[in-house]
Amino acid sequence: MADFDSIVQNDNEPGGDGWLLTNLARSLGERIPTMCKVKLMCDGRSDVHIGTVPMNGVDQSTFPVYKYYTRLGCQNFSVCITKAVTDRMGIDGFRLVSDRIGNSTEADAMAERCNFALTTAKTNEDVTRYGRSYLLVAKGRGDQYIQYLSPWRCEMSDDEDTAMIYKWDEANKREVLTLIHLDRDADGNPSKVWARNASREAEDRTLVAPNDDELVKRIGETYDTDSPRKWVPSTEFTWDGERTYQGYEYALACGHIPVIRQRDEDMQGEIVPHLPTLLRINQGIFDRMCITMMQAFKQRAIKGIKRTVYTEDDPQVRAGLKNVGDDIDYGSLFKAGPMALWMLPPDCEVWESSVTDIRPLVEAESSDIKHLAAATRTPLDILSPDVAGSAAGANLKGDGLILKVKSLNRLANATFTLAVKMALVLDGHEEAASQHFSTVFMPPAPPDFSTLSQACANFKGILSPLTMRWYVLNMTDEEQARARQDEADTQWMQQFSQVLSMQDDRQQSEQVGELPSALGGEDADLGAESFDSDANSMAFMDESGE
């Protein structure tokens, strides 16, 4: 294997620690221009390329106007595309795979301790924008073991056995690269997890931060050029010490390094494959705005002018404003303004530029938006709210978005469950390493109660009520528990009503009538005794409530 230029001094061994760190650092540097461009698109700060502004034959005084329009001529469809996905990727909790229903209390408690809802909201946004995001399971922030890692400062190998984390130490003015690796034995089973730090002194960080708007813009503008501004890590890093094996037993128990990657299928995100279409739409909007601006100030001309100097018959000479033989400044004579009056020489005509029809540009823009919606599997009414159609057609158009969300949820499930499992092991629940968890996601689409009620009616007698709640109604565990409690309360009320009804019927049937006192003798005494017994029995029922 040929030698390579390692970023760690005195560590050029192929396949060694310096080799692993160098490859990951340079891989991260390759992604920086693309991520800067995507961030500009999602933030609505991606201007139309300055090269499209006409330079030759244009008055330089109008150049600032064109440059201003490069900022106005941008429509932020990128955030609409990404938000349409992330808004449908909610998490309801975790459950053990062996459980038929019911959330895992320990996993849910750990997720709540780590503020997992906010963390996954960040990672989901990163996945839709950049195609990847990362989680770090470690101590250092109290009982919040699951921490968010930005793809702007983290990189991982394809086999997910090695990861690199960049850190800028502002207090000590040092750049630190942390290498984390999982060793495997001859059979491919995990054997050790270790970490190692390399650092260098620097006046400032060399890797762009996502909140550095000016630098992000400068780097993003070099995207898709012959010389994009990639991050090239310095070759002055040195190892701070040897490998550290202690403290990673929880990760080894789960068979993974403490850095976990969440990704989509191709790790490109939702924006990069459609950047040409998005840029073409913005270019069309810019062209339309420029044409509209130029038509607001129509070009005019005077045809038929033959003289270029003043004569003694001109009003300006007679008024003493000009002399015979002076050059005529037609630009000052034909100034446009309110109540302006032009004095045209004989045989002269005024010419005015014709109006350019911008309807083809508007139609082309609408066509590009439709193609963008189809390519990104985004419902057209999200990108263009004036779209008309039936409710059934809207549901069909939304199927692509729902399938895309479900696909991302399936990939995210492995990341989320591994992070929670590893956090539980780190918290002392060692049995969690051998357990299998599943993420319970919220339904990706709002419920259509008309369709759901019809489906339940069709499946009645075929599926059990519990199965219909789970697969047809897409009810969460919490909603199912509330439904079961409502059923129990309803059943108790029905039974209580039946008892009250039976008591009322018995009271009516045992109302006291005319005693057979005229009969006298033994029958009269027996009847009175029987009535007293029944009355005592009813009094007991009233007191006991039964």
Side-chain angles (χ1 to χ4, degrees):
M1 184 180 294
D3 294 337
F4 74 104
D5 188 13
S6 174
I7 65 174
V8 182
Q9 295 180 358
N10 302 323
D11 192 350
N12 293 320
E13 179 184 359
D17 296 353
W19 184 84
L20 294 173
L21 185 63
T22 300
N23 288 337
L24 292 179
R26 290 175 177 169
S27 176
L28 174 60
E30 294 283 338
R31 295 193 287 110
I32 291 301
T34 302
M35 290 197 299
C36 289
K37 183 62 176 181
V38 172
K39 190 176 190 306
L40 291 176
M41 298 291 292
C42 293
D43 292 348
R45 298 190 299 115
S46 178
D47 300 345
V48 177
H49 196 277
I50 197 67
T52 61
V53 176
M55 302 294 294
N56 298 328
V58 176
D59 188 359
Q60 290 301 310
S61 63
T62 62
F63 182 78
V65 179
Y66 283 108
K67 188 175 181 180
Y68 176 63
Y69 274 12
T70 61
R71 294 191 294 269
L72 296 183
C74 295
Q75 183 69 35
N76 193 352
F77 289 114
S78 301
V79 71
C80 298
I81 296 172
T82 57
K83 283 294 185 181
V85 177
T86 56
D87 290 346
R88 292 165 171 79
M89 295 180 66
I91 295 180
D92 184 55
F94 296 89
R95 66 185 182 93
L96 289 171
V97 175
S98 59
D99 291 346
R100 299 183 61 182
I101 63 169
N103 288 17
S104 174
T105 305
E106 295 180 352
D108 286 345
M110 176 58 67
E112 185 176 356
R113 278 171 49 185
C114 299
N115 200 5
F116 204 61
L118 179 59
T119 302
T120 55
K122 295 178 181 178
T123 60
N124 291 338
E125 182 180 272
D126 288 343
V127 170
T128 55
R129 290 188 175 189
Y130 314 117
R132 70 197 75 192
S133 190
Y134 302 92
L135 294 173
L136 173 65
V137 181
K139 294 183 178 180
R141 298 185 62 184
D143 57 356
Q144 294 187 6
Y145 298 149
I146 304 176
Q147 306 169 23
Y148 164 74
L149 273 181
S150 171
W152 290 78
R153 68 185 192 97
C154 184
E155 185 61 283
M156 179 177 282
S157 60
D158 293 338
D159 57 7
E160 300 188 357
D161 285 347
T162 312
M164 182 217 68
I165 304 175
Y166 173 91
K167 179 183 178 182
W168 166 246
D169 189 350
E170 179 67 29
N172 299 316
K173 296 294 182 180
R174 296 186 68 85
E175 286 185 313
V176 182
L177 298 180
T178 301
L179 179 67
I180 305 176
H181 183 70
L182 172 68
D183 287 338
R184 296 182 180 273
D185 57 19
D187 296 330
N189 298 318
S191 59
K192 296 179 181 179
V193 176
W194 53 267
R196 195 176 185 184
N197 289 338
S199 63
R200 62 178 287 267
E201 293 184 357
E203 295 181 357
D204 198 358
R205 60 182 299 158
T206 59
L207 179 62
V208 61
N211 57 356
D212 190 346
D213 294 339
E214 294 184 3
L215 185 55
V216 168
K217 187 171 183 62
R218 290 198 299 268
I219 297 176
E221 290 175 349
T222 66
Y223 167 80
D224 201 19
T225 62
D226 295 335
S227 56
R229 292 185 56 180
K230 303 176 182 178
W231 178 57
V232 180
S234 172
T235 58
E236 300 176 353
F237 283 92
T238 57
W239 292 117
D240 294 340
E242 298 299 325
R243 298 176 177 177
T244 302
Y245 293 93
Q246 299 295 328
Y248 298 103
E249 293 79 9
Y250 66 96
L252 181 60
C254 298
H256 200 278
I257 60 177
V259 178
I260 308 171
R261 178 170 59 192
Q262 180 184 351
R263 52 168 291 183
D264 60 7
E265 293 181 0
D266 53 8
M267 288 197 295
Q268 288 190 354
E270 299 293 323
I271 306 302
V272 172
H274 311 289
L275 270 176
T277 303
L278 292 167
L279 296 176
R280 185 171 66 249
I281 293 174
N282 289 341
Q283 183 66 50
I285 297 176
F286 170 76
D287 294 341
R288 175 162 52 86
M289 293 179 65
C290 290
I291 293 174
T292 304
M293 178 190 68
M294 294 301 298
Q295 292 186 161
F297 305 96
K298 294 183 179 180
Q299 191 72 28
R300 297 178 176 88
I302 306 297
K303 297 192 302 182
I305 295 180
K306 299 179 180 180
R307 285 193 301 114
T308 59
V309 296
Y310 286 101
T311 64
E312 60 183 6
D313 296 331
D314 291 329
Q316 292 84 352
V317 175
R318 292 179 180 179
L321 300 177
K322 298 293 182 180
N323 297 322
V324 177
D326 290 346
D327 293 334
I328 301 176
D329 184 7
Y330 286 104
S332 61
L333 290 178
F334 302 116
K335 288 185 177 180
M339 302 180 66
L341 183 63
W342 295 350
M343 297 180 63
L344 297 178
D347 301 330
C348 290
E349 297 179 3
V350 177
W351 172 88
E352 187 176 61
S353 60
S354 60
V355 177
T356 302
D357 188 8
I358 64 173
R359 285 180 298 178
L361 296 177
V362 176
E363 294 174 356
E365 178 186 335
S366 300
S367 178
D368 287 340
I369 293 176
K370 292 179 181 179
H371 293 161
L372 177 65
T376 59
R377 293 191 290 177
T378 304
L380 185 57
D381 56 349
I382 294 179
L383 303 180
S384 181
D386 59 345
V387 175
S390 62
N395 292 335
L396 292 176
K397 295 176 182 177
D399 288 345
L401 176 61
I402 294 175
L403 293 176
K404 180 168 59 174
V405 172
K406 288 184 176 180
S407 176
L408 291 175
N409 285 343
R410 283 194 295 269
L411 295 175
N413 175 66
T415 301
F416 298 159
T417 54
L418 179 58
V420 171
K421 178 192 298 186
M422 194 176 297
L424 288 174
V425 176
L426 180 59
D427 197 41
H429 302 277
E430 299 179 357
E431 70 281 358
S434 59
Q435 294 175 338
H436 298 280
F437 295 91
S438 177
T439 309
V440 181
F441 292 95
M442 300 292 291
D448 182 1
F449 294 103
S450 176
T451 304
L452 293 179
S453 60
Q454 183 178 0
C456 291
N458 295 335
F459 283 113
K460 186 176 181 180
I462 301 176
L463 299 178
S464 65
L466 183 60
T467 304
M468 283 196 293
R469 291 173 185 167
W470 186 264
Y471 293 102
V472 179
L473 299 178
N474 293 321
M475 296 177 64
T476 64
D477 289 341
E478 182 179 356
E479 292 172 344
Q480 292 191 45
R482 187 163 55 247
R484 289 194 298 269
Q485 183 62 43
D486 292 342
E487 286 182 349
D489 294 343
T490 302
Q491 185 177 6
W492 184 87
M493 290 297 298
Q494 291 177 351
Q495 294 177 352
F496 183 70
S497 299
Q498 292 177 358
V499 171
L500 292 179
S501 178
M502 293 174 58
Q503 181 177 348
D504 292 341
D505 294 342
R506 185 172 181 178
Q507 288 178 352
Q508 293 179 1
S509 62
E510 295 179 351
Q511 287 180 352
V512 180
E514 294 182 358
L515 294 177
S517 56
L519 296 177
E522 185 177 354
D523 292 339
D525 296 336
L526 181 60
E529 182 180 357
S530 177
F531 174 80
D532 293 339
S533 176
D534 293 341
N536 293 335
S537 176
M538 290 185 63
F540 174 78
M541 291 179 59
D542 291 339
E543 293 176 358
S544 61
E546 298 181 355

